[in-house]
Amino acid sequence: MPEKPKQDDKAAAEQPAKKRLPIKAMLIVLGLLIAEAVVVVGVVSMGGPPAEVKGGVIDIAPANSLEATSELLIVRDKFPNHSTGRVWLWDLEIQVQVKGKHRAHVERLLDERGAEIKTGVSRILRNAHQNHLQEPNLETVTRQFAQYLRTVFGQDADGEERVQEVLLPQLVGFPADF
């Protein structure tokens, strides 16, 4: 009787031959990469050498200290707001930008009328609508604070506002009725 082929021999015969690496495709890709590098180097070198950098001295006159702008802290405190029916506590910091010539006057008024100014700021914050306090750029409350502070600090003899800009670097609210 003839011998039956073993199953292992059948499985080996049915498997295709091992695939070899695609050397032809790899050579084509490598050739394209080399050609691209040659083209890039050629295009860049056609531009010529880089321009010569010449340094110089820039003469900047010192700023007039009377016209230089500086910042002064007006209020940094926490104030409540009940406009939504819930108690919210707002952590607020207000600073103003003033010119050097107005700085002494503004500082003097802050010393003399600090409690009055803080009360006015508190009234504005207490009466503010919740959506105004949560605006992305705080335009409404900034405008209200600016109008109030410009009336407090007034104008100089030339009619120039003493407060140039009102800044709110911090206005963060959180519910206080936990």
Side-chain angles (χ1 to χ4, degrees):
M1 225 167 49
E3 281 186 29
K4 291 185 179 177
K6 295 183 180 180
Q7 287 183 349
D8 291 336
D9 294 338
K10 276 186 182 180
E14 289 178 7
Q15 288 181 352
K18 288 186 178 181
K19 291 187 178 181
R20 295 187 307 163
L21 290 175
I23 296 202
K24 189 175 183 181
M26 289 172 57
L27 289 175
I28 291 173
V29 170
L30 183 63
L32 289 173
L33 286 174
I34 292 172
E36 182 180 3
V38 168
V39 169
V40 168
V41 168
V43 168
V44 170
S45 64
M46 285 184 353
E52 184 179 327
V53 178
K54 296 180 181 178
V57 177
I58 299 175
D59 186 24
I60 299 176
N64 184 353
S65 63
L66 295 178
E67 293 298 318
T69 303
S70 62
E71 296 175 356
L72 288 174
L73 177 67
I74 301 297
V75 174
R76 180 185 295 144
D77 206 348
K78 293 177 177 57
F79 299 98
N81 179 285
H82 305 271
S83 65
T84 62
R86 287 182 77 182
V87 179
W88 279 74
L89 198 58
W90 290 89
D91 190 10
L92 170 70
E93 179 180 332
I94 298 178
Q95 297 201 18
V96 292
Q97 287 183 339
V98 295
K99 289 188 177 180
K101 62 184 177 182
H102 300 136
R103 185 177 178 97
H105 180 78
V106 171
E107 286 176 339
R108 185 177 52 80
L109 280 177
L110 277 172
D111 289 339
E112 293 173 1
R113 299 170 58 188
E116 176 189 343
I117 293 168
K118 190 173 181 178
T119 302
V121 167
S122 174
R123 284 186 184 139
I124 292 171
L125 196 67
R126 287 173 187 260
N127 293 323
H129 293 284
Q130 188 77 8
N131 56 349
H132 292 163
L133 294 169
Q134 294 177 335
E135 288 177 339
N137 295 324
L138 302 170
E139 294 98 355
T140 304
V141 291
T142 301
R143 187 174 53 249
Q144 290 173 348
F145 288 134
Q147 181 181 0
Y148 171 70
L149 292 172
R150 286 187 176 129
T151 59
V152 169
F153 297 116
Q155 298 176 344
D156 64 4
D158 298 330
E160 182 181 6
E161 294 285 344
R162 289 188 175 99
V163 173
Q164 299 296 310
E165 192 74 35
V166 174
L167 307 172
L168 298 175
Q170 181 172 341
L171 182 59
V172 179
F174 48 91
D177 55 352
F178 289 100

